[in-house]
Amino acid sequence: MMLRLILILTLPIAARFITGDSTGFFYIADNQHVIRKIDSTGKEWFRYSDITNGSIQSIDASNPFKTLIFYRQQQVIQILDNNFGLVNTIQLRKNNMLNVMAVARASDNNIWLYDALDMSIKKINDFGKPVSFCAYVFQLTGHIPQVSFIKEENHKLFVCDTTLGVLVFDEYLLYARNIPMPSVNRLQVVNQSLLHVKGNTLIQYDLLSRIEKRDSMLLNQPVQSAFLVKRFLIAQEENQVSLYRILP
């Protein structure tokens, strides 16, 4: 099928990471350590920059009042409020977490992380202190994980392993199953579907029926990643970011 889109605007930004939140805002992290928060008209509301922590690995705006900014090189998590004011900085190495590869906001407002040093999923609070037990992924799967991204939605934790697929855990870190999508290094969870892009194709995997659906997209360029919020889609393209409206 064809996903019908109309281009709203294009921003000349070489993005590293894009995402959105439930209130309709989009977040763009560029190669100059700058994060912009824009609305569906392209208006920029807030901007944040910190050059001391290196490149931005990911942004999690599941709770837009406590947005997580993860700097993997320096093993630092920053927490921003909804106006992009800095709330707190977590130095992971000072808390004996030495090789964290991915972080995500948990539904209880704590923070999930994957630490490659002991191949475990852990949960910490906003001050970097452990708040629960951890799950050792190698022991559960018999596989050395290559984790690129994690995301919690609907009380399930989705772990993108680029060699095995998407590992699914419940909120108590009980391992449920593996979804064989090994090439996926980033995804979005919408209702009961996992969304990701490949080239100019939006791929939706239904968690209930376990059926995959593919929709072609007529876009400016091949897409590196995309994120849907309501009836809008933001696409990370080469040296630019484009915002589209999804037509009925």
Side-chain angles (χ1 to χ4, degrees):
M1 294 181 64
M2 180 69 69
L3 190 67
R4 300 174 62 225
L5 304 169
I6 184 168
L7 179 65
I8 297 174
L9 58 89
T10 296
L11 301 171
I13 299 172
R16 285 186 58 85
F17 193 90
I18 59 172
T19 190
D21 67 31
S22 59
T23 65
F25 284 97
F26 296 97
Y27 302 73
I28 306 168
D30 67 20
N31 291 321
Q32 304 300 316
H33 318 292
V34 176
I35 305 170
R36 296 169 174 85
K37 183 176 183 177
I38 67 170
D39 63 19
S40 58
T41 69
K43 177 183 176 181
E44 182 177 319
W45 285 79
F46 302 104
R47 182 180 294 203
Y48 180 79
S49 178
D50 183 347
I51 64 173
T52 63
N53 287 311
S55 300
I56 297 163
Q57 176 72 18
S58 65
I59 304 168
D60 189 317
S62 303
N63 180 350
F65 296 93
K66 288 186 174 183
T67 298
L68 301 180
I69 315 299
F70 177 45
Y71 302 86
R72 193 177 75 184
Q73 291 172 325
Q74 298 299 321
Q75 293 289 281
V76 167
I77 300 172
Q78 291 184 330
I79 303 172
L80 307 183
D81 65 22
N82 62 321
N83 296 324
F84 270 22
L86 179 62
V87 176
N88 191 32
T89 298
I90 303 172
Q91 302 284 347
L92 293 168
R93 291 191 178 112
K94 291 183 179 179
N95 292 278
N96 296 316
M97 290 167 280
L98 306 178
N99 194 16
V100 173
M101 303 299 290
V103 306
R105 178 62 74 182
S107 58
D108 61 4
N109 264 327
N110 288 303
I111 301 169
W112 293 112
L113 57 84
Y114 174 75
D115 191 343
L117 188 66
D118 58 2
M119 294 181 284
S120 69
I121 301 168
K122 301 179 172 76
K123 184 185 280 188
I124 62 174
N125 63 22
D126 282 0
F127 302 97
K129 303 303 180 183
V131 295
S132 70
F133 52 86
C134 58
Y136 295 96
V137 180
F138 177 77
Q139 293 180 5
L140 294 169
T141 65
H143 165 83
I144 297 176
Q146 301 295 324
V147 173
S148 61
F149 184 77
I150 61 177
K151 182 69 176 178
E152 183 187 339
E153 194 72 35
N154 300 324
H155 303 289
K156 291 184 174 62
L157 182 65
F158 300 91
V159 179
C160 291
D161 183 320
T162 55
T163 59
L164 192 61
V166 179
L167 312 178
V168 185
F169 296 80
D170 71 12
E171 59 188 322
Y172 304 108
L173 288 182
L174 295 176
Y175 180 47
R177 62 183 171 118
N178 172 55
I179 301 171
M181 301 163 63
S183 62
V184 176
N185 57 21
R186 192 185 306 175
L187 56 77
Q188 180 182 358
V189 187
V190 178
N191 298 323
Q192 293 295 327
S193 294
L194 303 184
L195 276 62
H196 67 101
V197 296
K198 186 175 182 180
N200 279 5
T201 301
L202 177 68
I203 302 171
Q204 302 181 55
Y205 178 87
D206 189 292
L207 291 166
L208 299 179
S209 68
R210 304 192 179 190
I211 294 173
E212 187 177 89
K213 174 187 174 186
R214 293 173 176 252
D215 291 314
S216 299
M217 301 181 291
L218 292 177
L219 304 178
N220 290 337
Q221 299 179 10
V223 177
Q224 299 170 16
S225 68
F227 197 91
L228 281 73
V229 174
K230 300 179 180 178
R231 299 299 299 175
F232 298 92
L233 179 143
I234 190 168
Q236 177 185 348
E237 301 164 343
E238 185 176 0
N239 296 319
Q240 66 182 32
V241 174
S242 295
L243 182 62
Y244 299 85
R245 182 188 297 275
I246 303 172
L247 300 177

